[in-house]
Amino acid sequence: MIRLLLADDQDLVRGGLAALLSLESDLDVVAEVGRGDEVPHAITAHDPDVALIDIEMAGGDGIEATAAVTASGAHCRCLIVTTFGRPGYLRRAMEAGAAGFVVKDTPADRLAQVVRRVAGGERVVDPTLAADSLAGGVDPLTDREREVLRAAADGASVRTVATQLHLSPGTVRNHLSSAIGKTEVENRYAAARLARERGWI
């Protein structure tokens, strides 16, 4: 049996995935969580072989959860299953240690095959998304620029972002200016929007 953990903040989606995967004779859903920060504890408590993780969740996103699992040294392999098939997300997930990346509209029988392959040690990526990722180029932003853009994306002032990230307002302005230049847009809101669309933040 391949033991599975499901991490998705939408109860209906998580329940549907559990029901579909439980129909497979060799797959056993041993735990379900609805927040990113619950993933590492659930892996320790339930010892799954594969964790199917959504990206956008409360309590830290699925990429952060994947990085935490990877850093912990747990034998569990992480498979990102998300609505957001953006090339930047794929790149970040793989850098965080994900063993696979598929979108939620993957047919159930194909998802079961992907889970088996990931459990068997393979890395599996949706082929269309892989091609889009290669065509989309490399994320030009630094970690700090991404962090500052993420904090400023919803309209927070420079001073608020500076306080939140423990930086000086001048440093925040410098990072925003650099991000605007690298994304070749006119302002920080457009830079944040573009970075979100490409999955960089």
Side-chain angles (χ1 to χ4, degrees):
M1 290 294 282
I2 300 170
R3 297 168 54 84
L4 306 177
L5 163 71
L6 305 181
D8 195 301
D9 62 338
Q10 296 179 3
D11 293 339
L12 183 61
V13 172
R14 195 172 62 243
L17 265 176
L20 286 171
L21 292 170
S22 293
L23 295 174
E24 300 290 329
S25 61
D26 60 337
L27 303 180
D28 183 23
V29 177
V30 296
E32 299 177 34
V33 297
R35 295 175 50 93
D37 55 3
E38 295 173 340
V39 171
H41 174 71
I43 286 174
T44 301
H46 300 283
D47 193 32
D49 301 302
V50 178
L52 288 79
I53 304 174
D54 188 21
I55 288 183
E56 293 201 357
M57 293 185 286
D61 68 28
I63 296 172
E64 293 168 354
T66 297
V69 171
T70 301
S72 76
H75 83 277
C76 180
R77 305 195 77 216
C78 297
L79 171 61
I80 301 294
V81 181
T82 185
T83 304
F84 303 100
R86 298 178 182 141
Y89 281 159
L90 170 60
R91 187 179 311 276
R92 288 177 45 221
M94 300 313 262
E95 288 171 355
F101 194 109
V102 296
V103 291
K104 284 183 180 174
D105 64 0
T106 300
D109 60 334
R110 170 133 168 69
L111 179 59
Q113 291 171 1
V114 169
V115 168
R116 291 181 187 103
R117 289 175 62 194
V118 166
E122 293 182 48
R123 290 188 98 175
V124 183
V125 176
D126 179 276
T128 302
L129 190 56
D132 289 348
S133 181
L134 291 172
V138 179
D139 174 0
L141 303 173
T142 66
D143 289 342
R144 183 63 86 180
E145 288 163 352
R146 280 191 294 277
E147 181 181 30
V148 169
L149 264 185
R150 203 175 291 118
D154 295 325
S157 69
V158 168
R159 185 165 302 284
T160 300
V161 172
T163 301
Q164 179 184 347
L165 300 179
H166 308 289
L167 300 171
S168 73
T171 299
V172 168
R173 279 190 287 277
N174 288 340
H175 287 301
L176 288 172
S177 177
S178 179
I180 290 166
K182 288 178 179 179
T183 55
E184 299 177 347
V185 295
E186 295 189 18
N187 58 51
R188 64 184 171 144
Y189 306 110
R193 184 174 50 254
L194 179 70
R196 270 204 181 127
E197 288 170 0
R198 296 198 177 164
W200 299 338
I201 63 171

